[in-house]
Amino acid sequence: MTIGTGCSNNVASLQTSSANETSTSANETVVLTDFVDRLVIPTYQELIAKSTQLEQAVATFVKTPNEQNLKAAQSAWQATRTPWEQSEAFAFGPAESLGYDANLDDWPVNQTDVTGLIKSQEKLDQNYVETKLQSTQKGFHTIEYFLFGENNNRQANELSKRELELLQLLTTDFHKTAEALKESWVAGVDGQPAFREVFTTAGDSSNTTYPTVEAALTEIVSGIVGCVEEVGEVKIGKPIETKQDLDFESRFSHNSLTDFKNNLISARNAYMGEAKDTEGQGVSDLVAKKDPALDREIRTQLDTALKALETVPAPIETKFSDAATLEKLKTAQSEILTTYQTIQEKVVPLFAESTES
């Protein structure tokens, strides 16, 4: 009787434990699915929509290079920049392994080689741009250089016929690369399976990329950490260290401050597992189950860092030398690095422990 009762209790305990593990696993799987379907793919779809408009606006400018068409192309570049910078927290998988991230957004621009190409007799065509140019000779920032000039002072009549020709080719190459990035997640490219399937089937016995669900969750957290760290240490930290406004990433267009904000939005979206009007489950939900106070701390720190950036006068490239502006930028940097340290020191171990358990 005693043994029977004990066995009964043990079975009940095991059943409860199994149910909890199943529930936890199910929640983690939902987090992975929401991350891809509510954030990654919609963000890349928006990038495609904007890059389509950019390609069209540049085509109009190249055909009729007047000030009105230049402004339209510049606006299209800035609009395309937004979804891209909001994707920085998930620049892993195909973005990294297939070189899409570098080809779309390498910086700084190798102006010496770009100028050399313009002065050369090389025949410019789409194949040459795709196969011969280095990543620092194309992508966002070379297009930015042609559209905005050295200091956001481009005049429509300044670009030569050959520069306009290259600008058009670069923009088409950019759009094709962005489409390939999206397709790599949705349908797969170059014989590779769709990365959506790879990511959302983490833990399946046949999944060698993510042999456990925790491995995929760790990828998300690592992406958030890397994004926040880069903004604080590099994108803001380097200009502060060198005292050179030339070290701001989007210095040609004076768009760097907007980039910083969108990077933090990217980190927040990745943490929450959602974007814009969507609402899903994210890493935040898993952290809250383990440590509700930590989840609140991270949410608060991300919001505080964003609010600190909002106080920095724009454009930072021209106001960088102002002492009051510099102090506000340093304050924002401090808030960003505090957020980075919290995630790195408190959230990463949570998932590392899960991986080991």
Side-chain angles (χ1 to χ4, degrees):
M1 181 69 175
T2 303
I3 293 175
T5 303
C7 283
S8 178
N9 284 343
N10 285 339
V11 169
S13 176
L14 287 172
Q15 287 175 334
T16 302
S17 175
S18 177
N20 287 340
E21 289 174 3
T22 301
S23 177
T24 301
S25 177
N27 288 339
E28 291 173 341
T29 300
V30 170
V31 167
L32 297 182
T33 304
D34 281 355
F35 179 78
V36 174
D37 292 343
R38 295 177 183 274
L39 177 59
V40 176
I41 292 176
T43 302
Y44 286 149
Q45 286 172 333
E46 184 178 359
L47 176 66
I48 297 302
K50 298 301 183 185
S51 71
T52 299
Q53 294 171 6
L54 173 62
E55 187 179 28
Q56 293 169 347
V58 166
T60 301
F61 171 61
V62 168
K63 182 179 181 181
T64 309
N66 58 34
E67 293 299 324
Q68 179 180 354
N69 291 337
L70 175 60
K71 294 297 180 188
Q74 290 173 336
S75 295
W77 183 92
Q78 291 169 321
T80 307
R81 190 76 179 152
T82 295
W84 172 253
E85 289 301 292
Q86 291 186 5
S87 77
E88 290 276 18
F90 42 89
F92 55 76
E96 181 179 23
S97 63
L98 298 181
Y100 298 137
D101 185 10
N103 284 329
L104 290 171
D105 195 32
D106 206 353
W107 65 288
V109 172
N110 187 333
Q111 289 181 253
T112 300
D113 284 358
V114 171
T115 301
L117 177 61
I118 292 298
K119 292 180 179 178
S120 75
Q121 299 301 312
E122 293 283 357
K123 181 184 177 181
L124 298 178
D125 57 26
Q126 211 62 56
N127 182 64
Y128 184 88
V129 169
E130 291 177 10
T131 62
K132 300 296 184 183
L133 293 189
Q134 307 162 23
S135 58
T136 53
Q137 293 175 281
K138 57 184 178 181
F140 260 118
H141 296 297
T142 306
I143 297 170
E144 178 193 15
Y145 168 66
F146 282 122
L147 287 178
F148 293 87
E150 282 282 354
N151 193 26
N152 196 20
N153 55 356
R154 176 69 73 201
Q155 300 296 310
N157 60 3
E158 289 179 338
L159 294 175
S160 67
K161 181 179 179 181
R162 187 168 169 84
E163 287 174 319
L164 290 170
E165 180 184 8
L166 181 56
L167 171 61
Q168 183 68 78
L169 292 169
L170 290 172
T171 309
T172 297
D173 180 69
F174 178 93
H175 179 63
K176 291 176 66 175
T177 304
E179 280 193 321
L181 173 57
K182 189 261 293 181
E183 282 302 296
S184 69
W185 278 83
V186 174
V189 297
D190 298 334
Q192 300 293 318
F195 202 71
R196 181 197 181 281
E197 298 306 311
V198 174
F199 199 76
T200 58
T201 59
D204 285 4
S205 58
S206 60
N207 192 325
T208 56
T209 303
Y210 299 106
T212 65
V213 172
E214 287 78 12
L217 293 171
T218 299
E219 185 88 280
I220 296 175
V221 176
S222 297
I224 296 169
V225 168
C227 181
V228 176
E229 180 186 24
E230 184 182 22
V231 177
E233 294 283 6
V234 181
K235 293 189 176 184
I236 295 176
K238 188 174 182 181
I240 289 178
E241 178 186 354
T242 63
K243 299 180 174 56
Q244 295 289 326
D245 62 298
L246 296 178
D247 287 324
F248 284 113
E249 182 180 2
S250 294
R251 67 181 181 88
F252 302 126
S253 59
H254 294 176
N255 202 66
S256 298
L257 188 58
T258 301
D259 285 356
F260 305 156
K261 296 172 189 174
N262 282 322
N263 287 161
L264 286 189
I265 290 171
S266 178
R268 185 178 64 186
N269 289 346
Y271 184 69
M272 301 299 292
E274 59 196 33
K276 291 190 174 178
D277 298 329
T278 68
E279 184 174 347
Q281 292 191 40
V283 171
S284 169
D285 296 277
L286 302 179
V287 172
K289 284 187 176 181
K290 298 172 182 283
D291 189 339
L294 176 59
D295 178 57
R296 290 194 296 271
E297 182 181 8
I298 293 168
R299 291 173 181 236
T300 299
Q301 288 184 354
L302 283 167
D303 287 343
T304 301
L306 265 171
K307 288 177 181 176
L309 279 176
E310 292 288 350
T311 70
V312 180
I316 189 61
E317 290 84 357
T318 62
K319 298 183 178 180
F320 182 54
S321 58
D322 175 69
T325 297
L326 182 57
E327 283 307 307
K328 289 181 182 294
L329 185 63
K330 287 182 176 179
T331 298
Q333 181 197 30
S334 177
E335 297 292 352
I336 292 166
L337 292 178
T338 296
T339 306
Y340 156 69
Q341 289 169 354
T342 302
I343 299 173
Q344 175 68 33
E345 294 173 6
K346 298 182 180 180
V347 176
V348 170
L350 286 181
F351 292 96
E353 289 169 5
S354 295
T355 305
E356 292 167 359
S357 63

